[in-house]
Amino acid sequence: MRAYLPSYEMIVPQSLSDALALLKTEPGVWQPFAGGTDLMVLFESGKLSHRKFINIWGLSELQGIQENETHIEFGALTTYAQFEKNALLCQEFPILHQSSLETGAIAIQNRGTFGGNIANASPAADSSPGLLVYDAEIELISSEGSRLVKYCDFHLGYKKTILLPHELIRSIRLKRHQNTHHYFRKVGTRKAQAISKVCFAGLALQNPGQTPECKIALGSVGPIPSRCKKTEKLLSQSFPKIAKEKRDWIHAACSELTQEISPITDLRSTQDYRLQVSLNLLTDFLDTLKPSA
Amino acid sequence: MSGHTVRIELTVNGQQREAQVHPMTRLLDVLRENLRLTGTKEGCGEGECGACSIFINGELVNSCLVPAIQVQGAVIQTIEGVSSSKKYGSKLHGVQEAFLGWGGAQCGICTPGMIMAAVHLIENTLDPTTITENQIRTALAGNLCRCTGYTKIFEAVQKACHLPGSKA
């Protein structure tokens, strides 16, 4: 049933400091509202339980893309479409480029924001696996100042995060890498407009003369999107030097990943399917890597 | 409880318009109810079907997902503005001509959104004659049609890419 409009409130702050001051004065009362691609869906179906919103869409302090020698930082209100149009971001972080292209369709990509995707904290968020393997950091701001946190520490449990009621996500900060092999696959019911059944990101940092470092992260296979550190450790420690070692290596990695993830059966997929697809995607990723010798 | 309303001023299809609405009123409802522009359709009301597609400042969006307060001062184009804007005189847009000529519409509910998505693709492509079928499928991926099976729609958009009336 459609929501009863007069029971909701939405206010527009004049600036970021106004927004932060209000969030501080009445903590938990006002919920930030960005592109609306999640909240408006709940609102429409009468399931939006929160009633008071502060419109942060348009706050210039939460926008913009900056780079220096070591990092690229982009504002929380950066939309998927803005990411797709930034050549540098797409070139250096192709996983996030691809996940943006596969989020909803063009009309959603024009409104949906990275900050919103992170704060909404869905285990199926399309940008999460990419942010995890790139070791993203996020800047949280409040009227008291700001703090830089690792995105891998952001999620505490299903839809629970470290974000305090008086804080906003200001930006996302990514470390620039070279010699990196990137892999991303989202598996859903169709190519566009789907919420993933499994979402997989893989990264291999391959510096000549060094053992490659592998990073993998999955979405939709647990209560939070997460890195698979045990599998990563196994992958990096026993990285094959010759092609014929590869089969055993992949087999061992699949056994480890089976232990490490905990997919469930829900309205979108089943436990068995999600596990099998996760293993298939891990295998596909590892198949694309060359032996290190 | 708050029945408070705000005055929204916006440019719609080249004209200055205003509406006194609750800040969370869907843009779709502002267009259809307040401004009586009923060409924009409501399908799913949750951003899945694309029937309510319009442009905000030149960007394709689902108007069912945008609260009115977020379009304060914005430039909006709806299906009504695709043919009547000064850019095209009184003529139909090339995409509309193609939908008519090549059977791109059946029941018509998805059609305004399909046309907006196709116009968005063509007007944002330097040379529309180079547009591939894959690009058309991506551009229209957020628009559902339950009648045509899409083939006629994709054909119509392909034809539109080569019509002189398609490019801004």
Side-chain angles (χ1 to χ4, degrees):
Chain A
M1 202 179 80
R2 184 171 284 189
Y4 180 59
L5 199 49
S7 70
Y8 288 88
E9 253 184 86
M10 185 180 279
I11 56 163
V12 185
Q14 292 308 303
S15 64
L16 176 65
S17 55
D18 279 3
L20 295 175
L22 183 69
L23 292 172
K24 179 73 186 166
T25 322
E26 299 180 274
V29 173
W30 299 92
Q31 191 176 332
F33 190 109
T37 52
D38 280 305
L39 294 178
M40 287 299 278
V41 175
L42 293 174
F43 173 65
E44 251 313 280
S45 57
K47 291 176 189 153
L48 187 58
S49 54
H50 205 90
R51 290 288 190 267
K52 292 183 170 195
F53 295 92
I54 179 163
N55 176 40
I56 58 167
W57 180 264
L59 288 180
S60 59
E61 296 93 333
L62 307 181
Q63 295 171 347
I65 301 166
Q66 278 107 35
E67 81 207 60
N68 61 29
E69 267 179 35
T70 58
H71 291 83
I72 302 182
E73 187 175 353
F74 54 99
L77 290 180
T78 302
T79 62
Y80 305 112
Q82 285 167 343
F83 192 102
E84 290 159 24
K85 284 176 191 146
N86 187 287
L88 196 62
L89 282 172
C90 294
Q91 190 192 326
E92 298 197 18
F93 304 99
I95 292 172
L96 291 173
H97 179 214
Q98 192 58 35
S99 65
S100 296
L101 290 169
E102 295 187 34
T103 300
I106 290 167
I108 296 289
Q109 291 160 27
N110 280 332
R111 296 302 281 190
T113 67
F114 275 84
N117 205 221
I118 292 170
N120 190 48
S122 162
D126 291 327
S127 50
S128 294
L131 292 170
L132 284 168
V133 293
Y134 288 134
D135 286 318
E137 295 172 299
I138 51 180
E139 187 191 356
L140 308 179
I141 44 164
S142 69
S143 54
E144 293 155 358
S146 76
R147 56 177 178 143
L148 198 61
V149 298
K150 289 178 179 167
Y151 176 60
C152 63
D153 297 330
F154 183 75
H155 296 271
L156 295 173
Y158 178 73
K159 291 259 181 186
K160 286 199 165 59
T161 74
I162 60 167
L163 189 69
L164 298 171
H166 66 289
E167 284 181 318
L168 288 175
I169 300 171
R170 202 208 71 78
S171 66
I172 295 103
R173 198 161 165 265
L174 299 171
K175 188 165 185 252
R176 304 175 76 171
H177 288 287
Q178 285 181 336
N179 305 317
T180 304
H181 181 82
H182 314 255
Y183 178 96
F184 175 77
R185 275 288 293 276
K186 170 179 170 177
V187 176
T189 40
R190 55 171 290 219
K191 276 188 185 172
Q193 301 287 63
I195 295 173
S196 67
K197 295 170 190 279
V198 175
C199 196
F200 182 102
L203 204 65
L205 297 137
Q206 292 177 299
N207 285 316
Q210 287 175 15
T211 306
E213 189 186 354
C214 294
K215 298 178 182 186
I216 54 175
L218 280 112
S220 294
V221 295
I224 62 172
S226 51
R227 281 275 290 276
C228 303
K229 296 260 186 177
K230 286 180 184 165
T231 308
E232 286 180 2
K233 196 174 165 193
L234 181 146
L235 287 171
S236 299
Q237 279 177 352
S238 57
F239 202 95
K241 293 195 168 50
I242 47 170
K244 72 173 187 182
E245 293 173 359
K246 234 177 134 177
R247 277 295 116 201
D248 287 347
W249 179 62
I250 292 175
H251 186 76
C254 285
S255 301
E256 189 68 53
L257 189 67
T258 305
Q259 301 299 314
E260 200 168 8
I261 59 174
S262 51
I264 58 161
T265 297
D266 64 10
L267 81 169
R268 271 188 286 280
S269 189
T270 63
Q271 187 180 7
D272 290 349
Y273 181 84
R274 284 183 158 125
L275 176 61
Q276 188 59 55
V277 169
S278 302
L279 299 179
N280 293 352
L281 295 178
L282 176 64
T283 303
D284 193 39
F285 164 57
L286 299 178
D287 268 337
T288 61
L289 299 177
K290 292 189 183 78
S292 65
Chain B
M1 287 303 220
S2 161
H4 78 289
T5 61
V6 288
R7 185 189 186 85
I8 305 289
E9 294 178 13
L10 62 175
T11 307
V12 182
N13 302 328
Q15 292 182 337
Q16 278 301 119
R17 304 293 298 265
E18 56 183 56
Q20 189 75 31
V21 292
H22 186 284
M24 276 178 80
T25 307
R26 303 179 305 170
L27 175 57
L28 171 66
D29 297 325
V30 177
L31 294 170
R32 288 182 56 88
E33 309 287 332
N34 297 75
L35 305 181
R36 295 282 161 196
L37 292 168
T38 53
T40 303
K41 305 302 180 200
E42 173 161 13
C44 65
E46 54 180 35
E48 287 281 347
C49 78
C52 66
S53 301
I54 56 134
F55 299 165
I56 300 177
N57 299 330
E59 288 183 339
L60 187 75
V61 304
N62 299 308
S63 61
C64 73
L65 296 185
V66 180
I69 196 77
Q70 291 189 344
V71 291
Q72 185 71 271
V75 176
I76 309 282
Q77 194 184 359
T78 69
I79 186 68
E80 287 89 348
V82 167
S83 60
S84 65
S85 71
K86 280 186 190 148
K87 239 174 6 189
Y88 312 108
S90 59
K91 285 185 196 159
L92 291 181
H93 189 281
V95 173
Q96 292 171 309
E97 294 281 9
F99 268 64
L100 281 172
W102 283 275
Q106 281 189 34
C107 89
I109 287 286
C110 78
T111 311
M114 288 284 181
I115 287 176
M116 295 309 286
V119 168
H120 185 259
L121 169 68
I122 288 173
E123 294 195 349
N124 286 295
T125 306
L126 210 56
D127 178 5
T129 61
T130 64
I131 291 172
T132 62
E133 189 187 333
N134 253 348
Q135 284 175 293
I136 294 171
R137 284 174 179 269
T138 303
L140 271 54
N143 297 77
L144 300 182
C145 170
R146 302 289 82 165
C147 309
T148 63
Y150 301 99
T151 305
K152 290 284 184 188
I153 292 174
F154 296 146
E155 279 175 15
V157 179
Q158 272 174 331
K159 297 290 182 192
C161 293
H162 296 273
L163 291 179
S166 290
K167 188 71 186 157

